[in-house]
Structure formats: C-alpha cells, structure tokens
Amino acid sequence: MGASSIRRVLVANRGEIARRIFATCRRLGIATVAVYSEPDADAAFVRDADVAVALGGAAPAESYLRGDAVLDAARRAGADAVHPGYGFLAENAAFAGAVAAAGLRWIGPSPEAIAAMGSKTEARDRMERAGVPVLPGARLDGEAGLDLLSLAEHVGYPLLVKASAGGGGKGMRLVEASGDLEAAVAGARREAAGAFGDDTVFIERFAPGSRHVEIQIIGDAHGEVCALHERDCSVQRRHQKVIEEAPSPAVGPDLRARMSEAAVAAGQALGYVGAGTVEFLLAAGGEFFFLEVNTRLQVEHPVTELVTGLDLVELQLLVAEGRPLPEAARRPPLRGHAIEARLYAEDPAQGFLPVTGTLARFSVPAGVRVDSAVEGGARISPHYDPMIAKVIAHGATRDEAARRLADALRRSEIHGLTTNRDLLVRVLSHHEFLGGAADTGFLDRHDPAVLGAPLVAPDGLRQAAAAAALAAQAARRAAATAMPSLPSGWRNNPSVPQTTVFTGPGAEELPVEYRFARDGRLATLRVQGHDLDAPRLHGASADEVDLEIAGVRRRHRVHLGRDGAVFVNTGDGQVDLTEAPRFPDARHAAQPGSLESPLPGRVIRVFVDAGATVELGQPLLIVEAMKMEHEIVAPAAGPVVELRVSEGQQVETGTVLAVIGGGDGDEP
C-alpha cells in the first residue's frame, strides 16, 4: 500500500497500552476508537477515546480475542486502521490478514512475518538455519510420555517448558528434574490454551545466571531495518519482567554492535515492517543466544523512547502509512539512562498472588513518566493482567535514574490494594542491582517476601499509627454538631487517654493512646505502650497531620478510606492500617480448619474428594485468575471434612474452598 495518511485508529486492546497509543494519536491529530469488554465499560481508556464500541463478554475469549467483533467495531466506528497494542490479538497472523482483507491498515508487521515468528518453535528453527545461536531445545508436538522424557534428557536439566504462542511468562514452567516434567507440560499447555488459544509448548535448556537483553528494531516498507539499541529486562518474577532499563549495564559498544547486527539481520530476513523486538539470553561470558522475536510493541518500550527521544508509536504509524524511516531512527542517539518499573496489584509475600479490588487513590509525584492503566476509583478485575501502571525515570546516569524512580515510587499514594511497590523500591536500591549485576535469578536469590516487606521502620510505623488516630479524631470533631473545634481527646479535668486500635502490616496490633491538655497541647501520645518522645502537634485534619516527635517534624498525608481503612504516606513510604471496630462481630470469625481462596478466580482442577486424608502441602485444587494458574495446597495434614467447590466454579477472595480436620479425631 502506498503512502497515505491514517485518519482513525481502532486500538484492539485495553488498559495502559490503549491509553498510550491514544496519546500519540491525539498529538498527531488522528481520531481514536476503543473497544471494551463488560468489566471495562467505565475504564479510563474507554473515556480517552473519541468513540468506543462494546465487544460484550468478560473473559478475553468473549471480548478482546474475538477478531470478528473487533473488525465489526472498526466498520461501525469508521476506522481505517487497527493497532493491536500488545497481547490479545497483537501477534495473531490470521487476525492481521483479516484486517488487511477488510481494507483496513494493519499497524504492525505483515501476517507472514507474524506467522514466521509467532510460533517460537518455528522461530527457533528459522534462526538456527540463519546461523543465529540458539539454546538446545525440542518440540513437543504430540510426543507420548516416554518420548517426552527422552527428549528432555537430550536437552538437559534444568529446562523450561514454554508456550509456542504468546509470551509474558504465561505457559512457562521451570523443571529441575524428570519427576516434575509431565505435570509441568500439562500445566503449561492449559495456561497457554487459556491465554493464547494455542496449547503448543516446547522445551529449552534453562541457563541460570544469564541476563535477558533485547534489541528494539523498526522496519519500513522500503527495506530499511534499524536497531534502536538494547534493553535489559533481567529482573523478573514468574518469567515475567518487573524492571527494565536502557541501555543494559552489561553491554558495551562492541557487544551492542554485534547484537544489533544480529537483530537487524533477523528483521531483514523476515522483510520486517513495523516495530519489533529480538530477544536474547546473554550469558555471563558474553555469548548471546536467540530467544524469540516479538512482532509487536513491547511493554517496556518507554525506556527506549526516553534514551533515544523517539516516539515508537509514531514510528509505527509512519511506516504503516508507507513512509520511510526518518534519519533519527537510522542513527538513533543514546542519551542518559532510563529505568521502568511495572507496578502490579499483587502480593510479593504470597508468591506474587494477584490482587483484585478498588484502587481508592493513585497518585505519583511529578518528575517521572507514568503510563497508567487506571485512575483513582478504578476496579482491578480478575479477568486481566494486574498491572496498574508503568513508572519510568530518566537520568544522566544509571544511578540517577534508579534513585529518581525509587523516590517517586516511595512517595506515591497507592491506596486500597496490596501492590509490589515496596519490592520495586528495594530492588532499585539494592547493591546488586545498582552494581549492574542483577540477572534473571535475582528474585530467586533474594526473597521477594523480604524485599516486599513494608518500607517504613518500626518507629515510623508507630508514628504513622499515631497520625492515623489524630486524623480520625480530627475528622470526627469536624463532623460533630457540638463544639467541633475541640479535639476529641480533650477533657476539662484530668482523665484517661483516648484509645484507637489499628491493625497494621502482618496483622500487627497498634493501639494508640492520646490525650490533650486544657491548653490544647498534646499531653500524651503512646503507641503499643511506647511513649513517643516530646510529642507536639502542629496541625491535624482528616487529610494531613503535622506531628513533631523528639524535635523532628514530619507531615503525614492521611486518607481515611472505607470500612476502617486508613492510608498514611510519608517520605519514607506508605503504611496501610485498618481501624479495629470497638465491638467485633463474632459471626464473622472463620470456622477452624477453613481453607479460604487467596484470590478471586475460577476453580479449574480439584484433586481430592471429601473424606480423603491429605498431607501438609499436598495440592488440593487449582484456581485460575488473570490468565495464570494458582495451586492451592493443604495448610495442614488431616481429613477433608468438607469440599465446598467444584470444577468450573467462580470464587471470590475469602471463599471457603474446603475444611481440613485437625487429625486425631479433632473436629474441624
């Protein structure tokens, strides 16, 4: 197709990437169309678009994976181009072909290039024939169990089972020994089928101690393929990237040139048009091995934009219009350093379990780039990836970028949900990361539960609890009908202090006692039985408490949420508290032995029956949420007195799945 301007772009995606694409389209004067599922009807990206079309359904298979519905939406909205974003249909060759067949512009590489690289097994074979180094691996196209074991022995342990379609760590399992192989293959197949509609998997040697380094490429319809330098994405959890940066601290000019040359050769062999990424595994000795080609825009593309000054979405639109790449893409600059952190609604202390619920408040300080999927008041759905936002910092040096990003995250107000924010801050401040030595095993060596523990030290936690109590009393007095200017702890005569009890991180109890003197001075301030030294209250409202302890004055930003939730933010970090009710309802106590679901999702496997006797840690069932499988194991040995769920059943966080007896005839 010759050069002609795109007028209206439909983004066949959701969340953060849809908003990102809309932003560039607005800047270029291009109209936008959103498509959305039922849970996303009120999402920020829907409001960002000029027009929006409902796809119906909730699960991806009912909405964003329905190519026919997306094309119908494009027709009804008058779009002349489709941008797939990343995930969903972004690397679906059949969909790309259908877009072109419908007379629409496809903002991505050709269906042939997608098909060639969409299958990781085909991509491996193709790169191997082209002389690009690959790790030992093998296809698993219908092998029986005995053949599977033989192939694995040939490849060697440890190995990875990987989905042939898609990416993002979904459909991937690490296997250390043969006894775990068949279960890993079965689980990877199920997860791949659910996420990508294709259960094909393969095995590949796992190389511990390596780094994940990728080269951003961009090609035009005139035969030009350019490399826009590398990104390092080595800090990962569950084989999914958490922190990305450009350039890589492990790559110098010579290695950068060699990796870029290999990536450009791969793009030229494919006749590549559009943005793409060639991913490599970089071994400790400097050898690099082909992993895959992602025929789409990557989640981590902002770090490349910040160090080159290029807008990759704009380049995608430009080459989709048939125009040649500009000189800035042919000889891209490399200015300073950029680091991106993926902020997820998940609990690092619980194996990175995804978290759903309402994000009451979301605010990041100025000075960094925020590509966000949500705004304050948004609900995180169990149907999709739990990423809240990407926060990206740029600096003249790597240390400057890391320090700026850590500080912005530390000061961010993220209220209502457990997130990985504290883990991100600790990783960015970790001596191993700052020394440029972090590889793909970083979160295996360093316990995520420790990294994700609250940033605020015990003294700061007690001060935060005190601030929460003082903010709450200020709010109550402001709402009082009689004498609202008096603090609630004030008495005309000497009296006992007022007491408020909070539950803090790790279910720690934080009783706060306070009393005001006749002159309005804070006479008593005690937390967990500790008298806070020389307390002086400079000001208190429901939103902010200006409190001085031992001569050091701090401002605490306070958000009094619903159901007793209180969020306190300081320069040291955020403290999440829950005010204990004065009269707890005994009816809400859990039945002894109850095994509750740690997250909302769908029960896809049940391994035991009621009446069976189980051992500690024995798998009982699998709950699928956010396109990932989560194994639920027995918390204790004993009989399964009750099994309250069945396969296919939807459950919420806290749903009782089973009741395990205490053994020795104990009642549950």
Side-chain angles (χ1 to χ4, degrees):
M1 189 178 290
S4 60
S5 297
I6 292 172
R7 297 177 296 100
R8 183 179 293 249
V9 172
L10 180 145
V11 177
N13 218 294
R14 64 178 299 278
E16 170 269 324
I17 187 57
R19 302 187 80 190
R20 163 70 190 90
I21 296 164
F22 292 155
T24 290
C25 287
R26 278 196 302 273
R27 183 172 62 79
L28 298 177
I30 298 172
T32 56
V33 182
V35 290
Y36 62 93
S37 65
E38 290 174 3
D40 281 340
D42 298 319
F45 79 92
V46 177
R47 297 194 301 272
D48 283 355
D50 294 318
V51 298
V53 180
L55 296 175
E62 301 168 340
S63 53
Y64 299 108
L65 289 173
R66 288 186 57 208
D68 57 338
V70 172
L71 288 176
D72 182 61
R75 177 187 59 78
R76 287 191 282 157
D80 61 342
V82 173
H83 194 307
Y86 52 72
F88 297 130
L89 295 169
E91 294 177 283
N92 186 309
F95 178 66
V99 169
L104 304 172
R105 200 78 61 106
W106 171 251
I107 304 174
S110 68
E112 293 76 21
I114 295 174
M117 295 293 106
S119 165
K120 292 182 175 60
T121 51
E122 295 291 342
R124 275 177 51 89
D125 293 347
R126 190 165 184 146
M127 291 298 121
E128 195 167 20
R129 289 194 299 269
V132 178
V134 298
L135 288 163
R139 293 170 172 263
L140 299 184
D141 299 336
E143 281 83 358
L146 182 61
D147 295 327
L148 172 62
L149 292 172
S150 299
L151 285 168
E153 290 295 335
H154 177 71
V155 170
Y157 294 97
L159 58 81
L160 287 172
V161 182
K162 302 173 73 173
S164 182
K170 297 175 179 66
M172 184 180 293
R173 298 287 192 278
L174 175 63
V175 181
E176 302 277 2
S178 60
D180 302 324
L181 182 62
E182 290 192 28
V185 170
R189 285 194 192 279
R190 285 194 305 271
E191 201 167 271
F196 315 120
D198 183 348
D199 70 353
T200 305
V201 297
F202 66 101
I203 56 176
E204 185 175 74
R205 175 84 60 80
F206 176 63
S210 299
R211 303 180 75 108
H212 183 121
V213 178
E214 59 192 31
I215 303 292
Q216 174 72 56
I217 62 171
I218 185 84
D220 63 24
H222 305 277
E224 186 84 45
V225 178
C226 302
L228 307 182
H229 309 306
E230 84 281 357
R231 297 185 288 257
D232 194 310
C233 311
S234 297
V235 180
Q236 304 179 1
R237 58 97 171 99
R238 294 199 308 250
H239 309 293
Q240 192 165 16
K241 302 162 188 173
V242 176
I243 291 178
E244 303 103 342
E245 58 183 309
S248 168
V251 175
D254 178 65
L255 181 57
R256 178 174 300 119
R258 289 190 287 120
M259 296 183 78
S260 296
E261 184 180 356
V264 168
Q268 289 174 335
L270 293 167
Y272 202 87
V273 177
T277 300
V278 184
E279 299 194 345
F280 296 101
L281 202 65
L282 178 62
E287 295 178 291
F288 58 91
F289 301 93
F290 172 80
L291 284 177
E292 60 184 343
V293 175
N294 288 301
T295 51
R296 54 172 168 82
L297 198 65
Q298 292 280 86
V299 177
E300 57 272 20
H301 75 273
V303 294
T304 296
E305 294 185 324
L306 289 178
V307 296
T308 63
L310 297 168
D311 182 329
L312 294 186
V313 174
E314 182 177 0
L315 291 179
Q316 286 185 295
L317 294 165
L318 182 147
V319 299
E321 290 177 337
R323 306 181 192 280
L325 286 168
E327 184 65 21
R330 294 191 180 94
R331 293 176 178 81
L334 185 56
R335 299 168 180 153
H337 204 98
I339 306 177
E340 170 181 293
R342 299 192 193 186
L343 182 65
Y344 286 98
E346 64 183 14
D347 189 349
Q350 301 296 323
F352 295 104
L353 276 177
V355 174
T356 62
T358 300
L359 186 64
R361 179 178 294 176
F362 179 56
S363 176
V364 180
V368 294
R369 171 173 165 175
V370 181
D371 285 14
S372 174
V374 298
E375 297 170 341
R379 179 166 179 79
I380 304 300
S381 164
H383 299 290
Y384 311 114
D385 187 271
M387 188 169 70
I388 295 171
K390 303 178 312 197
V391 185
I392 314 103
H394 182 262
T397 66
R398 186 170 184 267
D399 283 351
E400 181 183 323
R403 184 172 64 249
R404 185 172 293 165
L405 181 55
D407 184 67
L409 288 167
R410 187 183 290 110
R411 295 175 183 274
S412 295
E413 297 181 4
I414 309 168
H415 300 166
L417 293 173
T418 299
T419 72
N420 67 335
R421 180 257 303 277
D422 291 357
L423 175 139
L424 295 173
V425 172
R426 279 205 175 85
V427 172
L428 291 164
S429 308
H430 197 281
H431 66 89
E432 187 175 326
F433 177 82
L434 292 175
D439 57 30
T440 56
F442 180 86
L443 289 179
D444 296 324
R445 292 190 300 276
H446 305 290
D447 186 355
V450 174
L451 292 173
L455 292 169
V456 178
D459 284 349
L461 176 62
R462 285 191 281 268
Q463 290 192 35
L470 295 169
Q473 74 86 23
R476 285 191 288 268
R477 291 313 302 163
T481 56
M483 307 179 80
S485 62
L486 289 180
S488 59
W490 183 88
R491 293 292 185 274
N492 192 37
N493 296 309
S495 64
V496 297
Q498 299 288 297
T499 300
T500 305
V501 180
F502 295 98
T503 301
E508 180 179 5
E509 273 206 353
L510 293 156
V512 180
E513 302 169 69
Y514 61 91
R515 183 175 63 83
F516 289 90
R518 294 183 63 181
D519 60 1
R521 179 178 52 85
L522 186 61
T524 300
L525 186 58
R526 184 180 299 117
V527 182
Q528 290 181 314
H530 297 268
D531 284 307
L532 301 190
D533 187 20
R536 183 180 179 189
L537 183 62
H538 292 272
S541 69
D543 300 317
E544 184 175 274
V545 173
D546 186 351
L547 181 62
E548 181 179 325
I549 303 294
V552 179
R553 185 174 171 181
R554 290 182 174 85
R555 290 183 181 273
H556 299 77
R557 301 184 306 280
V558 182
H559 174 202
L560 302 174
R562 302 177 61 181
D563 301 322
V566 184
F567 308 96
V568 183
N569 290 89
T570 71
D572 297 326
Q574 178 175 310
V575 176
D576 296 357
L577 302 167
T578 303
E579 185 174 351
R582 293 190 177 188
F583 306 104
D585 190 340
R587 292 174 299 175
H588 294 162
Q591 182 179 353
S594 296
L595 175 60
E596 298 180 350
S597 179
L599 75 171
R602 185 170 63 94
V603 178
I604 62 170
R605 291 288 185 278
V606 177
F607 300 123
V608 297
D609 297 317
T613 299
V614 297
E615 299 298 324
L616 172 66
Q618 180 178 334
L620 303 182
L621 48 89
I622 293 175
V623 175
E624 182 184 57
M626 297 180 181
K627 301 183 283 186
M628 301 290 285
E629 293 184 2
H630 305 275
E631 190 176 69
I632 309 298
V633 302
V640 181
V641 179
E642 293 183 54
L643 183 64
R644 298 192 181 180
V645 295
S646 57
E647 291 185 3
Q649 182 174 334
Q650 290 289 138
V651 296
E652 297 297 324
T653 301
T655 298
V656 176
L657 305 171
V659 178
I660 310 298
D664 300 323
D666 293 345
E667 290 298 320

